[in-house]
Amino acid sequence: MKAAVIGAGSWGTVLAQILSDNGRDVCLWARNPEKAAKIRETRCNGDYLPDFRLSPSIQVTADLKEAVTGAEVLVFVVPSKGMGSIARQVAAITDCRSQVILTCTKGFDLATHKLMTDILEETFPRARAIAALSGPNLAREIAQQQPAATVIACREMKEARFLQQCFLTPYFRPYTSTDLVGVELCGCVKNCIALVGGMLSGLGLGENAQAGLITRGLAELTRLGVKMGARRATFFGLAGVGDLIATCTSLLSRNRSAGYALAQGKTLEEITGGTHMVIEGINATPVVRELARAHQVEMPIIEQLYQVLFQGKDVRQAIGDLMKRTAKKE
């Protein structure tokens, strides 16, 4: 079985290796031909994982047709803002009638505010199945084959189990779910909460504050998810609380690092301009805020985060305003 991994960032590179370690034929697609050539020659993605070496059996190409032709599984790992464009390019090559499509991107379409699976379902209406992978998956740790677990969600359980077997290795353990909306929403909103986790650390606040943020952030995420048709139990699993813990607390989390830098006085322009990685939580915050308003869900953490990111509010004042809210029951 051939699998095409579309997107050669840190996560796409690691997912290609996981599939290869599980005995799959893998082709990794990079947009930039020079980057693809360099990875192919050195077996190293120096921009993201300079100490990690890809298996010699993994093909690397900048030719999208070469990557997807003959692949039974298409794994999309591109930034959310580029998903629609890349998906349309793939649709011009294949209608994916016999292919399973998996998104590993954690974000919203900025123009439509749709989830990535919605974009893929619209672009590939005849696909065999559309699925999403999300969980506490820090790419650098998994590249070192440190144990990690994740969730693969698909409305067709048969296809979820098929993908589970594609990715199951001694160091990477996927679980299955049919709650596509819940699993994907967790991956989007946790990035926003992680920005606040970084802000708390940047202010020198301690574990009590972090624990409070994670649990109240989980409450906000759950309220929104249930309103959008997700199952409550999903938010208390790997895709929900598991990913919140990892992303809010790990020094490897780019969203946490961005929040830390904001609390230290850096501007959004300085933060985003100083990295080639996409900080999905920044783009997701206004979308989550609008979804909360549309579904009449109270999300005070998201509201304060929005004011910090886009209205120039001081981080300390935002934390203070959260603490001064009217007393409530849990």
Side-chain angles (χ1 to χ4, degrees):
M1 188 211 79
K2 176 184 174 182
V5 178
I6 302 168
S10 56
W11 191 210
T13 302
V14 171
L15 286 167
Q17 186 61 54
I18 292 171
L19 286 162
S20 177
D21 286 346
N22 203 356
R24 314 295 171 175
D25 292 330
V26 183
C27 187
L28 175 64
W29 176 81
R31 179 193 294 268
N32 187 304
E34 292 182 3
K35 178 178 178 179
K38 189 171 183 180
I39 296 173
R40 187 166 54 246
E41 292 166 8
T42 65
R43 314 312 298 173
C44 175
N45 190 343
D47 289 340
Y48 296 94
L49 297 166
D51 299 324
F52 176 65
R53 294 292 180 273
L54 278 172
S55 295
S57 61
I58 296 174
Q59 282 184 272
V60 185
T61 184
D63 185 329
L64 201 51
K65 185 175 182 179
E66 179 185 0
V68 305
T69 299
E72 185 176 357
V73 177
L74 303 184
V75 183
F76 282 84
V77 206
V78 297
S80 59
K81 65 180 181 180
M83 179 66 81
S85 173
I86 298 298
R88 287 189 292 272
Q89 291 178 52
V90 173
I93 300 168
T94 174
D95 64 6
C96 293
R97 187 175 303 186
S98 62
Q99 293 165 312
V100 178
I101 301 177
L102 177 69
T103 171
C104 302
T105 299
K106 299 177 179 180
F108 297 96
D109 180 75
L110 297 182
T112 65
H113 296 178
K114 292 179 179 179
L115 294 166
M116 296 295 99
T117 51
D118 296 326
I119 300 298
L120 293 172
E121 285 174 348
E122 291 175 359
T123 310
F124 305 104
R126 294 194 240 179
R128 192 170 111 199
I130 305 287
L133 182 151
S134 190
N137 302 146
L138 298 162
R140 190 171 295 276
E141 289 186 0
I142 299 172
Q144 298 167 351
Q145 297 195 359
Q146 295 186 32
T150 197
V151 180
I152 295 175
C154 184
R155 293 189 181 95
E156 296 81 22
M157 180 53 74
K158 176 184 176 182
E159 303 297 355
R161 289 181 179 137
F162 163 71
L163 288 169
Q164 180 184 45
Q165 291 304 312
C166 289
F167 285 91
L168 184 63
T169 70
Y171 60 92
F172 192 66
R173 183 174 176 81
Y175 289 78
T176 58
S177 171
T178 56
D179 186 7
L180 194 56
V181 172
V183 168
E184 199 171 4
L185 190 65
C186 285
C188 297
V189 180
K190 61 93 184 183
N191 286 327
C192 306
I193 305 300
L195 284 166
V196 184
M199 292 175 189
L200 296 180
S201 294
L203 293 177
L205 303 178
E207 304 303 328
N208 287 333
Q210 289 287 354
L213 170 71
I214 290 170
T215 49
R216 296 315 303 165
L218 178 63
E220 293 190 15
L221 168 57
T222 304
R223 285 198 295 265
L224 178 62
V226 170
K227 281 276 192 174
M228 292 178 64
R231 292 198 297 268
R232 183 177 297 273
T234 297
F235 302 96
F236 297 90
L238 286 163
V241 67
D243 208 359
L244 270 175
I245 292 169
T247 315
C248 286
T249 62
S250 173
L251 297 177
L252 298 176
S253 164
R254 69 188 69 165
N255 288 281
R256 179 196 177 278
S257 297
Y260 186 97
L262 276 168
Q264 293 283 301
K266 286 193 176 182
T267 66
L268 271 184
E269 292 73 20
E270 289 173 327
I271 293 167
T272 56
T275 178
H276 50 261
M277 295 184 178
V278 177
I279 304 168
E280 290 282 7
I282 295 173
N283 294 331
T285 297
V287 180
V288 176
R289 181 176 182 254
E290 289 194 23
L291 287 172
R293 293 185 169 193
H295 291 279
Q296 298 182 327
V297 175
E298 189 178 31
M299 301 186 75
I301 296 172
I302 295 297
E303 178 61 35
Q304 292 298 325
L305 174 62
Y306 178 86
Q307 292 180 26
V308 169
L309 293 178
F310 302 107
Q311 295 180 347
K313 189 169 187 175
D314 179 74
V315 174
R316 287 188 181 276
Q317 183 183 346
I319 302 301
D321 286 348
L322 281 172
M323 296 300 293
K324 290 186 291 186
R325 295 176 66 245
T326 304
K328 299 179 180 295
K329 67 177 182 180
E330 186 172 37

